[in-house]
Amino acid sequence: MQSKAYLLLEREHIQLQEARLFGISACPVKEDLLEWVAMVQGLKDSLWEGAALQLSLKYTEDYNSAPPTVTFNTIPFHPNVDAVTGKPCVDFLDNPWKWEEHFPLTAILLTIQMESTLQLSVFLRHTLKTKLTANCKELK
């Protein structure tokens, strides 16, 4: 007998394939569908354009009552990625109270794709602005 998690993940895999999202792919590693590998590409005109980042997703039998564990296989330098564990900082993945049962695999991967692109741009802009301000003060 197949579990609820298995049936949901099977359906989400089909939905992901049908959606054909730019720069996002995922497939199960095992037949029980509880372990996945995903690829997320950087968006056009972003600092990550052309980059392909691989992630691992591990689900439990409690899915979709609990979020999966998501980690980058190769840890990118990014303010929203834990440099030691490779876990992306996504509020609904980090905080079980913010997890919603209707968040499918596509929502998780799209969020990671968008967060990695947008947050890095904001971080770099802030860093450059801080350095420019410091340099201007030194010149005065």
Side-chain angles (χ1 to χ4, degrees):
M1 179 175 204
Q2 296 174 337
S3 68
K4 174 185 167 190
Y6 178 91
L7 295 172
L8 288 169
L9 288 167
E10 187 176 51
R11 184 178 69 200
E12 290 180 20
H13 187 225
I14 292 167
Q15 289 172 343
L16 178 66
Q17 290 173 325
E18 290 174 351
R20 296 184 181 174
L21 301 170
F22 171 80
I24 292 178
S25 61
C27 62
V29 175
K30 295 184 176 182
E31 286 184 28
D32 67 4
L33 300 184
L34 296 179
E35 289 185 37
W36 291 64
V37 64
M39 188 72 69
V40 175
Q41 291 181 342
L43 296 175
K44 187 176 182 195
D45 298 328
S46 75
L47 295 170
W48 289 103
E49 182 178 2
L53 304 170
Q54 191 179 64
L55 300 121
S56 291
L57 295 94
K58 293 184 180 177
Y59 294 88
T60 65
E61 289 289 339
D62 293 332
Y63 182 72
N64 66 349
S65 298
T69 301
V70 180
T71 55
F72 283 93
N73 293 343
T74 301
I75 302 172
F77 174 74
H78 193 282
N80 280 352
V81 177
D82 186 293
V84 176
T85 65
K87 286 183 70 173
C89 298
V90 177
D91 60 347
F92 63 80
L93 293 176
D94 295 337
N95 184 345
W97 300 108
K98 292 186 178 184
W99 174 254
E100 298 284 337
E101 290 185 353
H102 65 271
F103 289 156
L105 174 62
T106 53
I108 295 168
L109 297 176
L110 279 169
T111 300
I112 290 170
Q113 184 182 50
M114 293 300 296
E115 292 256 332
S116 63
T117 301
L118 297 175
Q119 292 299 327
L120 185 59
S121 299
V122 170
F123 172 74
L124 289 176
R125 262 198 311 266
H126 174 71
T127 302
L128 289 173
K129 183 178 176 183
T130 304
K131 286 184 179 185
L132 286 173
T133 303
N135 288 342
C136 288
K137 287 180 183 177
E138 287 177 13
L139 292 174
K140 289 182 181 178

